[in-house]
Amino acid sequence: MRDVAVIGVGLTQFGELWEKSFRELIAEAGAKAILDSGISGKEVDAMYVGSMSSGRFIGQEHIGALVADASGFSFAHVPSTRVEGACASGGLAVRQGYLAVASGMHDVVVVGGIEKMNDVGGTSATETLATAADQEWEAFFGATFPGIYAMIATRHMHDYGTTREQMAQVAVKNHMNGVLNPYAQYRKEISLDAVLNATMVAYPLGLLDCSPVSDGAASIVLCAAEKAKKYTNKAVKIIAAGQASDTLALHARENICTLQATVHAAKMAYKQANLTPKDIDLAEVHDCFTIAEICAIEDLGFVKKGEGGKAIDNRITTRDGSLPVNTSGGLKAKGHPVGATGVAQVIEIALQLRGDAEKRQVPDARIGLAHNVGGSGATCTVHILEAM
Ligand code: COA
């Protein structure tokens, strides 16, 4: 296996992007990443693109070829593959690109992630997202993703004493970070009271405990680390790429507050990188709902199970804390165009390790982790990156 570097990154604005098409979004993110990397288009050996449900959101499948076409690579007949794993589609695409370069099969790979969710109404978006849940045991009975994570939240409150205030603080923190991210969907601070008094979506999760419905795309260029210097002096290395699966339905799990796919993907990644959770300087974790960030910091081993709420009280995860989490604003404030999210998380870590995160820069960041979850945890990827 060869070492793999991220040599270029590109993001579109995240938000309600009525004026931009799916093709325009992915072409914009890809072009920015290629420009940032210093490669020329003809050096691209392969493309991988994560998209959860383009068929339902915009009525278009066959996304691998479409993305190559929209980005001007169809004439070069570059192999382009769509990867799907619900909200972890982007993380899976990063891992596929990583494996293609690490194996020696390809030298330069472009990875993209995209979703355009607002072209359908809210009800249809909710139903589409629910296709990532277990259709027979959950969605058929009316469970939506806010409903599923609400069950996790009430159980966490019951078992570990986690409070609504602790969950709400996750949203307050991530909105504070989002203010500093020019690509974020929501660039406004919110108060604890606003989160606690927001319209209830599924108890105990109110509107401001939820990530929004978003449009957006993200792209990175990967290449063999030994060749990175030829293109750029801003490369960062991917030193681990973990992935794991779990049951689709919550009821089949021993403990619904532990996402075993996160635990196992993290174990795989820490082993590959020869690191422990203590070595991580900052993390982007999958905060699709505020409770999800609390579970994630526990399952990734940053704090003990049940102590995620206390870690929020102790401000461990704020930008000036000992382990800054979701400096990008997270899914909560940056937005969650589901297929793009896993790629965008890697971009935030790469920017931080390059020293390019501007006003949200974490000083002396050397090692960062990106954690992407599909559904309620049936798929998970964990990537660890290191400054070069
Ligand atoms: N965070 C902050 N503000 C939000 C928001 C969110 N998650 N969702 C909507 N808003 C804002 C909108 O910008 C709008 O503000 P405005 O009136 O100033 O323009 C207002 O709230 C109402 O927006 P609307 O689109 O009518 O909200 P909605 O009720 O249709 O949707 C949710 C709100 C929470 C139900 C929706 O965002 C949602 O389903 N989120 C979860 C997505 C999800 O499940 N993702 C997959 C995770 S696994």
Side-chain angles (χ1 to χ4, degrees):
M1 295 272 275
R2 298 189 294 179
D3 284 345
V4 179
V6 179
I7 58 168
V9 303
L11 274 172
T12 68
Q13 185 66 45
F14 282 11
E16 291 187 27
L17 307 176
W18 306 108
E19 72 291 358
K20 287 198 177 164
S21 70
F22 186 96
R23 286 164 203 253
E24 286 170 323
L25 287 172
I26 195 68
E28 178 186 329
K32 283 179 173 167
I34 288 174
L35 204 64
D36 185 50
S37 70
I39 62 162
S40 74
K42 58 179 186 297
E43 290 173 282
V44 175
D45 295 321
M47 302 170 73
Y48 292 89
V49 56
S51 182
M52 174 189 161
S53 199
S54 57
R56 290 180 64 125
F57 283 125
I58 61 158
Q60 175 75 60
E61 303 290 11
H62 209 167
I63 290 306
L66 177 111
V67 168
D69 196 8
S71 317
F73 287 101
S74 49
F75 297 108
H77 308 291
V78 170
S80 180
T81 308
R82 180 220 186 136
V83 185
E84 189 274 315
C87 308
S89 299
L92 292 184
V94 174
R95 191 161 183 271
Q96 290 306 304
Y98 167 84
L99 292 173
V101 177
S103 69
M105 179 68 143
H106 297 302
D107 280 342
V108 177
V109 167
V110 179
V111 175
I114 178 160
E115 216 75 53
K116 190 147 178 24
M117 303 168 72
N118 280 294
D119 287 4
V120 297
T123 307
S124 179
T126 299
E127 282 169 6
T128 296
L129 288 165
T131 61
D134 189 308
Q135 284 301 309
E136 279 182 35
W137 292 102
E138 293 174 332
F140 179 79
F141 297 101
T144 61
F145 267 103
I148 287 169
Y149 275 89
M151 288 191 256
I152 295 175
T154 43
R155 187 78 218 186
H156 209 282
M157 291 164 86
H158 175 270
D159 287 0
Y160 306 115
T162 303
T163 63
R164 277 201 71 206
E165 284 75 9
Q166 290 167 336
M167 290 185 253
Q169 285 292 6
V170 171
V172 171
K173 166 183 74 71
N174 290 349
H175 271 255
M176 277 173 83
N177 291 341
V179 170
L180 303 178
N181 184 349
Y183 296 97
Q185 180 159 355
Y186 294 115
R187 299 193 65 193
K188 59 172 185 210
E189 291 196 14
I190 52 175
S191 66
L192 186 65
D193 274 356
V195 186
L196 294 173
N197 295 316
T199 305
M200 189 52 66
V201 175
Y203 179 84
L205 304 175
L207 188 133
L208 295 174
D209 285 283
C210 305
S211 59
V213 171
S214 315
D215 307 324
S219 179
I220 58 176
V221 179
L222 300 178
C223 99
E226 80 240 17
K227 300 190 176 168
K229 277 223 163 67
K230 177 175 151 200
Y231 302 111
T232 177
N233 57 7
K234 295 204 277 190
V236 300
K237 220 194 271 187
I238 299 183
I239 55 173
Q243 181 185 336
S245 311
D246 199 358
T247 63
L248 243 64
L250 278 192
H251 72 259
R253 300 183 193 166
E254 219 166 276
N255 174 353
I256 66 170
C257 297
T258 299
L259 273 61
Q260 285 293 347
T262 295
V263 173
H264 285 266
K267 215 181 260 178
M268 188 187 284
Y270 292 136
K271 188 170 174 211
Q272 187 187 351
N274 200 16
L275 295 175
T276 72
K278 287 196 176 65
D279 298 311
I280 305 298
D281 294 326
L282 82 162
E284 287 287 298
V285 311
H286 197 95
D287 60 322
C288 50
F289 299 94
T290 49
I291 184 63
E293 180 167 316
I294 290 175
C295 292
I297 60 174
E298 297 169 350
D299 297 340
L300 291 165
F302 297 138
V303 297
K304 286 203 191 109
K305 192 76 222 167
E307 295 189 357
K310 262 190 241 150
I312 306 298
D313 284 340
N314 294 336
R315 299 179 58 80
I316 287 170
T317 55
T318 55
R319 246 184 10 267
D320 57 355
S322 56
L323 179 77
V325 169
N326 287 333
T327 54
S328 67
L331 285 51
K332 173 70 212 72
K334 182 184 58 190
H336 184 27
V338 287
T341 285
V343 184
Q345 292 175 319
V346 168
I347 291 179
E348 176 66 10
I349 297 295
L351 289 173
Q352 290 281 359
L353 301 183
R354 279 161 48 159
D356 282 345
E358 300 177 341
K359 289 184 181 154
R360 25 177 233 293
Q361 183 66 48
V362 173
D364 304 323
R366 298 283 310 159
I367 297 176
L369 179 150
H371 161 253
N372 190 200
V373 172
S376 58
T379 300
C380 177
T381 61
V382 173
H383 288 94
I384 303 178
L385 285 78
E386 186 178 28
M388 272 173 86

